[in-house]
């Protein structure tokens, strides 16, 4: 199957403050987003590290677009709009044709260089006009533009005393061959000599350079997609699974500037929430499927804003709560900045934290996922464990031990809207002074279980383990109550009992993964909660609703039916999902759901096709299971016909027996009939499982 999206209508949302609907391409740092102009097609250009570093709430700080390239297309041709978002190739193909007349443009953002290629052709030479390159210049502190020898270069600077760090970008464009154009861009974060680098690169660029970069580009995408594979007889599901990989790959490869709410899909000078890192789900959600899809490398930059804020996070914990460890606000900017910095008065500081104590712990969800799925001790020692230790130190201080259990006080499960002009704390008293909110109880379990696991793997901090075990053994249980005659999870033990507008009642199941679903009573409570909540069309938490449904064993036909309804109701032409006000948080939706339907390993047991619709043929290759296992399998006509497991380390795996009688290769002499099969792997060993 060729994974291409055909778009037949011109973009309508590109150029506004929210999610764009035009076709997308990029290399994980530099991106292009298609829009429209008065004279034809507009190609917006954005870069991950182009930020105005102002954290004042009344400022225009945040991520900024670079500019745009306009192509003049006759109106009668542009009305016949045809754009292909070719995700396999990482390029856009645009054709505007009426009868024998046409203009055709291929756009490629090189996967290995910050170069954008435009290849233009037409039915007659007079239809081709040189594209016009424009850089946004609103509120810039410096500006320079040169045109020489056919090279157009613009430099834009954000640098003044009110900014936490300077950001400078140079971008240039030229024709390097008849009707072929290249645009390149670099910032002061790429190189100290970024301006001269751009000019020298453009001057030396020629057809040979272009062909070499195209070869490297094709190889990169080929290798990217070879890391995992998902095939199914349902073409819509398969296309959307690959879109999840594509969307993340084109915005998440700059290790110092990972994607915020809008990634690098920026088409206007001001996007909502400054395009920041919202820690109470928006920042984490795009990465939910990165590990199960076997793309942990796309999370390499995830820790950058978290680590940069650690010193300020410690200061916040001490100053505001008199605690050790990390206390993080809802929103961050890069390099250790608040999204909106307020003063330390009680009326102001809560506008940054919105009553929540859990943001640093929620940020740890992706780190724990990475550890569980890769068991990479070097990465854990450098990035995961230091952050988790400080998160744990906060909860050691903040938890209250009373009557034989640890209790969480004054921690809101939902954002408390301190930002309202006439905020009345009495109205939200139950939220502000909640006891034992459900999500934080799950996050505390996750943090201390991961700390114990990693400390043992690293042989570190043995003296701390007794305390961590004590917390896990005595943390308060999840609150429950009866709703609609069924026992369900209660949002807090004391405080809000229920909420009709989100899915926080089950995020301790997914993505936090801290409910033992082998306990039939607990599983039933979770299922009751799921159907009582009934959030198939959630503005914010769709990204966790569907994979949670798969994990709970909800009817797979029902899951896929509602997934398709979400496509119909919320999906934009570029396959992004328009839920609420964000952008990237649902780019993992399909992959996280389908991966969970065909492979589960959250509790140390590998399950193959645990919750798949058996009327749909499916195969997958190298999906990642917890424990650092890569799993491949195939289902035809409702029967599992192939299973293969590869271990990246010396390890023990527990496999739920997919057959009544199973044979493991290379040892074909033993037949396994037990429900669970224990397999001892050597590093880089591969075994197959077949029906006896």
């Amino acid at each position: 199957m060729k994974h291409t999206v055909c778009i037949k209508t011109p973009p309508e949302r590109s150029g506004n403050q929210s999610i764009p609907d035009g076709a997308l391409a990029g290399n994980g740092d530099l991106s292009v987003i298609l829009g429209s102009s008065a004279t034809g097609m507009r190609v917006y250009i954005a870069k991950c590290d182009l930020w105005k570093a102002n954290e004042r709430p009344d400022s225009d700080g945040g991520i900024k677009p670079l500019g745009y390239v306009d192509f003049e297309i006759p109106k009668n041709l542009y009305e016949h709009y045809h754009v292909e978002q070719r995700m396999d190739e990482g390029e856009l193909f645009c054709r505007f044709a009426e009868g024998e007349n046409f203009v055709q443009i291929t756009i490629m953002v090189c996967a290995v260089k910050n170069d954008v290629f435009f290849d233009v052709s037409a039915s007659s030479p007079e239809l081709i006009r040189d594209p016009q390159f424009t850089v946004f210049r609103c509120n810039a502190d410096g500006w320079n533009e040169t045109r020489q020898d056919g090279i157009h270069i613009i430099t834009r600077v954000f640098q003044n005393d009110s900014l936490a760090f300077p950001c400078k970008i140079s971008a240039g464009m030229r024709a390097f061959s008849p009707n072929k154009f290249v645009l390149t861009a670099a910032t002061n974060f790429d190189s100290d000599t970024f301006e001269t680098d751009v000019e020298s690169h453009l001057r030396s660029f020629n057809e040979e350079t272009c062909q070499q970069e195209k070869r490297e580009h094709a190889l990169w995408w080929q290798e990217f997609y070879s890391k995992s594979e998902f095939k199914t007889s349902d073409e819509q599901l398969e296309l959307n699974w690959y879109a999840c990989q594509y969307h993340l790959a084109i915005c998440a490869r700059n290790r110092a500037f990972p994607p915020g709410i809008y990634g690098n899909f920026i088409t206007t000078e001001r996007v909502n929430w400054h395009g920041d890192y919202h820690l109470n789900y928006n920042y984490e959600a795009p990465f939910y499927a990165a590990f199960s899809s076997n793309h942990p490398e796309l999370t390499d930059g995830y820790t950058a804003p978290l680590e940069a804020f650690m010193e300020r996070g410690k200061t916040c914990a001490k100053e505001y709560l008199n605690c050790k460890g990390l206390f993080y606000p809802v929103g961050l900017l890069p390099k250790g900045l608040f999204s909106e910095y307020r003063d330390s008065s009680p009326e102001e500081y809560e506008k940054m934290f919105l009553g929540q104590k859990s943001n640093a712990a929620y940020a740890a969800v992706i780190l724990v996922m990475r550890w569980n799925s890769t068991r990479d001790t070097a990465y854990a020692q450098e990035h995961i464990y230091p952050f988790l230790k400080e998160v744990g130190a906060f909860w050691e201080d903040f938890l209250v031990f009373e009557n034989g259990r640890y209790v969480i006080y004054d921690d809101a499960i939902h954002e408390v809207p301190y930002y309202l002009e006439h905020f009345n704390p009495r109205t939200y008293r139950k939220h502000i002074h909640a006891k034992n909110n459900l999500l934080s109880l799950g996050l505390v379990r996750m943090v201390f279980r991961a700390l114990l696991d990693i400390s043992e793997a690293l042989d570190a901090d043995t003296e701390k383990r007794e305390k961590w075990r004590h917390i896990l053994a005595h943390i308060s249980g999840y609150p429950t109550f009866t709703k609609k005659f069924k026992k369900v999870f209660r949002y807090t033990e004391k405080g809000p009992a229920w909420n009709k507008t989100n899915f926080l009642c089950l995020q301790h199941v997914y993505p936090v993964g801290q409910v033992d679903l082998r306990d039939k009573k607990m599983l039933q409570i979770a299922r009751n909660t799921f159907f009582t909540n009934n959030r198939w069309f959630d503005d914010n938490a769709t990204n966790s609703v569907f994979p949670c449904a798969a994990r709970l064993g909800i009817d797979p036909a029902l899951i896929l039916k509602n997934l398709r309804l979400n496509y119909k109701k919320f999906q934009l032409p570029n396959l992004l999902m328009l839920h609420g006000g964000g952008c990237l948080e649902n780019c993992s939706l399909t992959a996280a759901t389908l991966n969970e339907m065909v492979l589960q390993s959250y509790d140390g047991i590998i399950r193959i096709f645990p919750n798949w619709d058996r009327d749909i043929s499916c195969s997958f290759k190298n999906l990642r299971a917890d424990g650092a296992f890569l799993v491949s399998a195939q289902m035809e006509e409702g029967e599992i016909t192939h299973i293969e497991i590869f271990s990246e380390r010396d390890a023990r795996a527990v496999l739920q027996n997919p057959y009544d009688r199973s044979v493991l290769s290379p040892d074909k002499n033993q037949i396994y009939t037990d429900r669970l099969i224990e397999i001892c792997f050597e590093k880089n060993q591969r075994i197959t499982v077949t029906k006896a």
Side-chain angles (χ1 to χ4, degrees):
M1 176 181 176
K2 191 174 180 65
H3 305 108
T4 295
V5 185
C6 293
I7 302 174
K8 297 294 187 179
T9 56
E12 297 178 351
R13 296 181 55 83
S14 299
N16 68 17
Q17 290 181 277
S18 185
I19 179 173
D21 58 349
L24 305 164
N27 62 9
D29 183 26
L30 196 65
S31 68
V32 301
I33 309 101
L34 294 197
S36 297
S37 71
T39 59
M41 185 176 75
R42 174 163 290 179
V43 183
Y44 292 95
I45 314 291
K47 199 170 182 299
C48 286
D49 55 2
L50 184 54
W51 290 75
K52 188 172 185 180
N54 195 325
E55 55 184 358
R56 293 199 319 268
D58 59 345
S59 76
D60 68 336
I63 191 167
K64 302 295 180 184
L66 167 60
Y68 49 87
V69 178
D70 281 341
F71 288 86
E72 186 177 334
I73 311 290
K75 184 177 180 181
N76 65 309
L77 299 185
Y78 194 69
E79 288 175 345
H80 297 273
Y81 193 89
H82 177 90
V83 168
E84 297 176 8
Q85 182 174 287
R86 296 175 173 175
M87 297 186 292
D88 293 344
E89 294 83 9
E91 68 179 26
L92 305 179
F93 173 79
C94 315
R95 183 177 173 87
F96 313 104
E98 183 184 44
E100 295 182 354
N101 294 322
F102 70 87
V103 174
Q104 188 169 291
I105 305 169
T106 302
I107 306 170
M108 191 191 90
V109 185
C110 180
V112 296
K113 296 277 189 180
N114 275 338
D115 290 336
V116 185
F117 305 133
F118 303 95
D119 192 342
V120 185
S121 61
S123 53
S124 58
E126 60 269 18
L127 289 175
I128 299 178
R129 302 283 189 274
D130 284 350
Q132 300 301 306
F133 174 42
T134 303
V135 167
F136 288 102
R137 61 187 303 172
C138 177
N139 296 324
D141 301 307
W143 178 270
N144 183 52
E145 183 172 12
T146 62
R147 296 176 185 266
Q148 187 177 14
D149 302 329
I151 299 174
H152 181 196
I153 297 179
I154 306 175
T155 298
R156 187 185 188 193
V157 175
F158 295 115
Q159 184 176 16
N160 61 60
D161 292 341
S162 70
L163 302 183
F165 57 83
C167 185
K168 307 173 186 179
I169 189 165
S170 183
M173 189 171 180
R174 66 165 285 218
F176 64 91
S177 192
N179 301 326
K180 293 183 180 182
F181 306 87
V182 61
L183 181 149
T184 192
T187 69
N188 55 306
F189 303 111
D190 294 317
S191 166
D192 292 337
T193 57
F194 68 100
E195 292 176 277
T196 55
D197 292 346
V198 166
E199 182 177 356
S200 62
H201 182 60
L202 286 173
R203 288 191 179 280
S204 63
F205 199 93
N206 55 32
E207 184 66 37
E208 183 179 349
T209 310
C210 178
Q211 293 306 316
Q212 177 61 30
E213 289 192 15
K214 283 186 175 182
R215 287 191 291 271
E216 293 173 355
H217 171 90
L219 181 61
W220 189 92
W221 281 104
Q222 180 183 346
E223 291 179 347
F224 175 79
Y225 286 123
S226 71
K227 292 178 181 178
S228 60
E229 181 181 281
F230 192 96
K231 293 183 178 180
T232 171
S233 55
D234 188 313
E235 292 190 358
Q236 185 182 34
L237 295 178
E238 181 177 331
L239 180 68
N240 277 275
W241 188 90
Y242 278 91
C244 292
Q245 319 308 321
Y246 179 77
H247 286 145
L248 196 58
I250 64 176
C251 72
R253 292 177 58 210
N254 186 317
R255 294 187 180 186
F257 294 85
I261 286 182
Y262 293 97
N264 57 1
F265 307 152
I266 308 296
T267 61
T268 183
E269 285 277 65
R270 286 197 178 202
V271 292
N272 297 327
W273 302 286
H274 314 294
D276 71 357
Y277 305 115
H278 249 53
L279 298 184
N280 55 4
Y281 95 91
N282 304 78
Y283 181 45
E284 297 84 357
F287 298 100
Y288 285 165
F291 307 108
S292 57
S293 297
N294 197 26
H295 288 293
E297 77 281 357
L298 294 181
T299 69
D300 283 349
Y302 176 82
T303 60
L306 306 181
E307 292 170 334
F309 197 81
M310 284 181 72
E311 289 307 312
R312 292 183 84 173
K314 293 176 184 178
T315 300
C316 290
K318 183 65 177 176
E319 181 176 348
Y320 299 136
L321 300 173
N322 195 29
C323 288
K324 299 176 183 176
L326 301 178
F327 180 34
Y328 275 27
V330 172
L332 301 180
L333 295 182
K335 295 189 174 294
L337 302 186
F338 286 92
S339 178
E340 292 187 349
Y341 180 70
R342 311 272 181 162
D343 65 46
S344 58
S345 66
E347 296 80 11
E348 286 297 302
Y349 98 84
E350 280 290 12
K351 293 179 182 178
M352 300 183 291
F353 297 89
L354 304 183
Q356 298 180 321
K357 310 300 189 297
S358 58
N359 290 308
Y362 206 131
V365 165
I366 302 304
L367 304 183
V368 174
M369 282 185 173
R370 178 156 182 161
W371 165 252
N372 288 339
S373 64
T374 66
R375 309 295 294 187
D376 184 341
T377 53
Y379 187 89
Q381 187 162 29
E382 183 176 357
H383 297 290
I384 300 175
Y385 192 59
F387 184 80
L388 280 180
K389 274 179 59 176
E390 295 299 335
V391 176
F394 170 81
W395 287 102
E396 287 180 52
D397 266 10
F398 190 73
L399 291 168
V400 177
F401 189 64
E402 60 181 26
N403 299 321
R405 65 174 182 151
Y406 287 96
V407 177
I408 303 173
Y409 285 106
D410 300 334
D411 177 22
I413 189 168
H414 303 100
E415 292 180 359
V416 179
Y418 286 93
Y419 46 78
L420 295 177
E421 185 176 356
H422 301 293
F423 176 76
N424 185 348
R426 291 184 179 181
T427 305
Y428 296 93
R429 186 172 182 176
K430 290 198 303 184
H431 296 263
I432 296 169
H433 299 294
K435 176 182 179 181
N436 279 337
N437 92 56
L438 192 62
L439 177 58
S440 290
L441 288 173
L443 289 168
V444 168
R445 287 171 165 83
M446 178 199 75
V447 167
F448 286 108
R449 283 174 177 157
L451 279 171
L452 281 169
D453 193 14
I454 300 174
S455 72
E456 291 172 359
L458 299 179
D459 193 21
D461 298 306
T462 56
E463 73 284 356
K464 295 181 180 292
R465 295 177 197 165
E466 182 179 354
K467 175 68 172 180
W468 297 342
R469 292 191 183 102
H470 192 266
I471 290 173
L472 286 171
H474 296 88
I475 187 72
S476 295
Y478 297 121
T480 60
F481 75 132
T482 300
K483 188 173 180 64
K484 295 183 179 180
F485 308 105
K486 292 183 178 180
K487 190 175 184 180
V488 300
F489 290 118
R490 196 181 194 277
Y491 277 63
T492 63
E493 182 179 322
K494 185 178 180 181
W498 195 254
N499 191 299
K500 297 180 180 180
T501 61
N502 65 58
F503 196 66
L504 294 183
C505 55
L506 281 172
Q507 290 203 351
H508 59 309
V509 174
Y510 188 96
V512 181
Q514 296 302 309
V515 175
D516 186 354
L517 299 179
R518 293 169 295 184
D519 181 332
K520 291 184 179 180
K521 291 182 179 179
M522 191 64 74
L523 176 61
Q524 190 59 56
I525 294 171
R527 286 176 173 170
N528 291 345
T529 306
F530 185 91
F531 285 109
T532 303
N533 186 265
N534 193 27
R535 298 302 303 166
W536 290 113
F537 305 100
D538 192 287
D539 279 346
N540 290 323
T542 305
N543 44 70
S544 59
V545 170
F546 282 85
C548 181
R551 184 167 292 188
L552 293 177
I554 305 301
D555 179 3
L558 181 64
I559 295 173
L560 296 180
K561 172 188 173 182
N562 282 289
L563 187 59
R564 295 185 187 100
L565 287 174
N566 266 268
Y567 297 152
K568 185 176 181 180
K569 190 173 182 179
F570 299 110
Q571 195 164 58
L572 296 172
N574 55 23
L575 300 189
L576 290 174
M577 303 291 286
L578 180 60
H579 286 82
C583 175
L584 279 185
E585 66 247 31
N586 288 307
C587 80
S588 69
L589 169 61
T590 299
T593 303
L594 300 186
N595 292 354
E596 196 73 23
M597 294 178 77
V598 301
L599 177 66
Q600 292 180 11
S601 57
Y602 59 89
D603 58 357
I605 300 173
I606 297 174
R607 300 171 176 85
I608 313 293
F609 290 108
N611 198 34
W612 184 248
D613 186 340
R614 292 178 178 263
D615 291 333
I616 302 174
S617 296
C618 178
S619 67
F620 61 87
K621 181 179 179 181
N622 288 344
L623 294 190
R624 182 171 287 272
D626 283 359
F629 301 105
L630 300 180
V631 183
S632 306
Q634 181 173 341
M635 176 179 284
E636 292 285 349
E637 298 180 353
E639 296 292 329
I640 300 174
T641 59
H642 173 76
I643 297 173
E644 187 174 280
I645 304 173
F646 174 82
S647 179
E648 294 181 331
R649 64 191 187 100
D650 295 336
R652 181 184 70 91
V654 178
L655 172 69
Q656 183 171 294
N657 198 339
Y659 307 113
D660 293 334
R661 293 157 55 84
S662 295
V663 175
L664 273 58
S665 176
D667 178 15
K668 297 183 178 181
N669 297 320
Q670 184 174 353
I671 294 176
Y672 295 85
T673 58
D674 293 341
R675 180 175 175 275
L676 299 178
I677 305 173
E678 185 174 312
I679 310 170
C680 291
F681 282 89
E682 295 179 357
K683 184 177 180 180
N684 296 331
Q685 184 180 5
R686 189 184 307 274
I687 67 107
T688 59
V689 183
T690 55
K691 191 174 183 178

